[in-house]
Amino acid sequence: MGNWDQLRDSLDGGLVTRDDEGYEDVRALFNSAIETRPLAIAQCASVEDVRRALRHARDAGLPLAVRSGGHSVAGASLVADGLVIDMRGLNSVTVDPAARTATVGGGATWSHFDRACQPHGLATTGGRISTTGVGGLTLGGGSGWFERKWGLACDNLLSVDLVTAAGECITASETENPDLFWALHGGGGNFGVATSFTFRLYPLAACSIALLLWPSEFGLAVSRRWRDIMLDAPEEIGGAAAYLTGPPEEFVGNLVGKRCAAAIVTCMGPVEELRAVIAPLLELAPPVEVVMDVPYADMQCMLDDPPGMRNYWSADYLTDLPDAALDVFCAGGEDMISPSASQLLMLPWGGAVARNAGTSAMANRDVAWVVHPFGIWEDPADDEQGRDWTHAVGAGLREWTTGATYLNFIGDEGADRIMAGFGPHYPRLAAVKALYDPDNVFNRWHNVQPEVSLQR
Ligand SMILES: Cc1cc2nc3c(=O)[nH]c(=O)nc-3n(C[C@H](O)[C@H](O)[C@H](O)COP(=O)(O)OP(=O)(O)OC[C@H]3O[C@@H](n4cnc5c(N)ncnc54)[C@H](O)[C@@H]3O)c2cc1C
C-alpha cells in the first residue's frame, strides 16, 4: 500500500486518500456511474510529481491509472485499490503564433487549449466537448468538427513528452523514438504518462455553425438530406445527423424536452457560405434554426454535456449510408430514452481522416461514416435500458457496419472489440509496448499487451 505521508510530503502538488475530505469530489469522473475507488489520487503539479507518484506505485506494487479530463466513459482513469496520477494540475498552454504551434500540459482540457489559441486566430482539431481532456482524446485519435480538413487531433501532434514506465523522461516525435510517436497516434494511454503535447495549428479566419431541430418524425427526411449534403460537401464542412432531447433553452420553444431530429453542420467560413450548403435542410423548415458565425472556442463548447450523469456508449464504422441504413438509424433515434441527455450521432469522415491514415496507429480510418449512440441518463434504474439501447443501435446496423470501431467512442466491450479497434496495427503496437512498458503498468485504457514476438 505504501506510506502515503511520505509520498504526500514529496509532491509539489497534493495527495488525496480515501480518508481525506474532498476525496469524492477529486475522484468523480464525468460519468457518475463509475464507482471505482482508488486508495489515493496524486494531484501532480510537475513532471517530477508524475515520476514520484509512478515510482511510489511501482515500489508498493499498486495498480495505477492516469487521469486528465476524466471523460473516459468506462472509467479508465480510475483504478480500484490503486493510485491515480491526476494530471489536471499540468494544464498550461503556450502558443507560438509565429511557428503556429501550441504546447499544452498533459492535464489540460480542450477549453484551456482553444481559449489560449483563439486570440491568435489559430486552432486545430479538438474534441466536440470543451471539458474533455487533450490527453485522453488525442492519444486515442481525436475526432472533432474540422477533422475532414485538418485530420484527427493526433495527426497534428509534433511531439509528446512522456514519463515511461521506468520513470524516464523522453520525447517522442518523428525523429526521436519514432515508433513510440506512431503508437501515440491512437494507441491511447498504453505507453506512459504524457506530460506535454506540441501541436501544429492552423489559421482560422471565420467559422460558423448550424443547429437545426425538428420533431423526431422528420428524422427520415432530415437524415437523408443531411447525408446527401455531406456526400458532396467540401472538407471545410463537418457536422452530424442526430437525435436528441430538445434542451431547456428559450430558443428551443415547444421542442424543449421533446425527442428531436437534428442536423448539425459546421463550416470553416462565414455564415453565408454555410447557408448555401444547408439550403436543402432549410427547405424542411426547421422549427429551431440557429445558423450563426461563432468564434471557434465558443463553437467547441456549444454542445457541452452536463457532468454527473450516467453514461454508456458505443460506436461503429460504415462505408456506405444507404436509405435503408438511415431507416435503422432513425428507428434507433426513436427508441432512445427520452427525455434524457442521450444523443444518437452519425458523423461524416473522409478527407484528411482517411488521407492521414498512414502515419497513425489508429486503424480503419478510410471509412465514410461513424455511428455513435451516446446514452446519458440520470436514474440508475435506467441503466439496463440505456445499455441495451446503445448495443441495439449497433446490432440493427450490422448489415452496413464494418466490424471495426473507434476506441475513443466505446467503453469496455471486451477483447474482441479492442482488436476490432486496433485491427492490423495491433502486432506493431504490442511490440512498441514491449519496449516502453514491458510490465504493462499502463493497462487501464483499451489494453495492448506487451509482446516482443509479434511482428513489427
Ligand atoms: C462528453 C464526452 C464527449 C466526447 N467527445 C469526443 C469527441 O468529440 N471526439 C473524440 O475523439 N472523443 C470524444 N470523447 C471520448 C474521449 O476522447 C475519451 O473518453 C478520452 O479518453 C477522454 O480523455 P480524458 O483525458 O478526458 O479522459 P480521462 O478519463 O482522464 O483519461 C482516459 C484515459 O486516457 C489516458 N490518458 C489521459 N491523459 C493522459 C496523459 N496525459 N498521459 C497518458 N495517458 C493519458 C489514460 O489511459 C486514461 O485512462 C468524448 C467523451 C465524453 C465523455
Side-chain angles (χ1 to χ4, degrees):
M1 165 159 333
N3 180 336
W4 295 130
D5 288 338
Q6 198 181 17
L7 177 60
R8 183 180 276 117
D9 290 348
S10 74
L11 293 175
D12 300 323
L15 184 82
V16 179
T17 68
R18 280 184 190 166
D19 298 331
D20 291 324
E21 205 180 319
Y23 171 84
E24 289 304 335
D25 287 344
V26 176
R27 186 201 71 89
L29 297 186
F30 181 82
N31 180 5
S32 69
I34 303 296
E35 289 168 358
T36 310
R37 292 173 64 77
L39 290 175
I41 299 166
Q43 298 172 300
C44 296
S46 61
V47 175
E48 272 314 302
D49 275 1
V50 173
R51 299 180 73 202
R52 291 171 187 130
L54 176 66
R55 194 179 318 121
H56 183 93
R58 295 213 65 180
D59 288 350
L62 289 173
L64 193 76
V66 180
R67 181 215 161 109
S68 292
H71 277 49
S72 160
V73 166
S77 40
L78 294 179
V79 60
D81 302 328
L83 179 66
V84 174
I85 294 185
D86 184 339
M87 300 295 289
R88 281 177 286 180
L90 290 159
N91 61 13
S92 66
V93 185
T94 309
V95 181
D96 182 338
R100 290 186 181 161
T101 63
T103 297
V104 52
T109 64
W110 284 103
S111 173
H112 294 129
F113 187 101
D114 292 333
R115 295 277 166 210
C117 295
Q118 181 130 301
H120 306 282
L122 296 168
T124 192
T125 306
R128 297 175 182 84
I129 300 295
S130 71
T131 51
T132 314
V134 172
L137 184 132
T138 304
L139 293 170
S143 167
W145 294 128
F146 291 148
E147 63 203 355
R148 284 156 41 86
K149 179 72 178 175
W150 291 338
L152 301 173
C154 69
D155 297 341
N156 295 302
L157 278 175
L158 295 172
S159 67
V160 182
D161 288 343
L162 201 91
V163 175
T164 65
E168 261 183 281
C169 293
I170 61 170
T171 298
S173 69
E174 269 178 22
T175 50
E176 285 179 83
N177 301 298
D179 262 5
L180 175 62
F181 191 54
W182 170 83
L184 297 176
H185 288 63
N190 275 293
F191 302 95
V193 188
T195 52
S196 89
F197 300 89
T198 299
F199 287 89
R200 179 186 304 115
L201 302 175
Y202 302 89
L204 184 64
C207 91
S208 51
I209 188 166
L211 295 173
L212 311 175
L213 299 186
W214 294 259
S216 67
E217 53 271 26
F218 283 75
L220 283 175
V222 171
S223 59
R224 285 178 192 188
R225 287 201 185 195
W226 173 86
R227 184 256 338 256
D228 293 345
I229 288 172
M230 290 314 307
L231 281 173
D232 290 330
E235 291 176 5
E236 287 78 5
I237 300 293
Y243 278 80
L244 46 82
T245 299
E249 303 287 348
E250 208 178 323
F251 69 85
V252 179
N254 60 13
L255 287 182
V256 170
K258 302 269 169 49
R259 188 193 309 277
C260 296
I264 302 164
V265 185
T266 56
C267 173
M268 291 172 141
V271 75
E272 300 73 40
E273 283 176 25
L274 175 60
R275 277 197 174 274
V277 171
I278 62 171
L281 286 165
L282 296 178
E283 282 169 9
L284 293 175
V288 177
E289 181 186 317
V290 177
V291 185
M292 60 192 223
D293 288 311
V294 63
Y296 181 71
D298 294 351
M299 186 179 93
Q300 290 292 85
C301 61
M302 277 177 83
L303 301 181
D304 279 4
D305 300 301
M309 308 283 278
R310 303 176 80 78
N311 288 233
Y312 189 84
W313 55 0
S314 190
D316 282 285
Y317 291 146
L318 299 88
T319 43
D320 294 306
L321 196 52
D323 286 352
L326 281 175
D327 291 350
V328 176
F329 172 76
C330 294
E334 294 293 353
D335 286 344
M336 192 174 76
I337 300 180
S338 185
S340 76
S342 297
Q343 295 167 11
L344 176 58
L345 299 173
M346 184 69 75
L347 302 166
W349 271 12
V353 178
R355 213 167 34 245
N356 296 339
T359 54
S360 100
M362 209 179 127
N364 307 301
R365 293 175 45 159
D366 55 349
V367 294
W369 312 95
V370 187
V371 64
H372 185 27
F374 191 157
I376 307 181
W377 59 93
E378 203 164 0
D379 187 348
D382 290 333
D383 283 1
E384 196 178 335
Q385 192 189 349
R387 288 211 171 107
D388 288 352
W389 169 72
T390 305
H391 289 300
V393 171
L397 285 167
R398 192 124 309 143
E399 191 178 327
W400 300 280
T401 54
T402 65
T405 188
Y406 173 37
L407 291 170
N408 258 357
F409 280 174
I410 72 167
D412 183 0
E413 295 187 18
D416 287 353
R417 288 286 269 175
I418 295 178
M419 293 309 279
F422 290 127
H425 292 161
Y426 190 86
R428 184 172 167 198
L429 283 164
V432 177
K433 174 86 171 170
L435 278 179
Y436 293 93
D437 183 17
D439 301 325
N440 202 13
V441 171
F442 302 106
N443 57 30
R444 296 287 299 142
W445 200 74
H446 305 292
N447 192 215
V448 173
Q449 302 278 331
E451 182 55 84
V452 270
S453 62
L454 289 172
Q455 292 270 314
R456 290 176 63 180

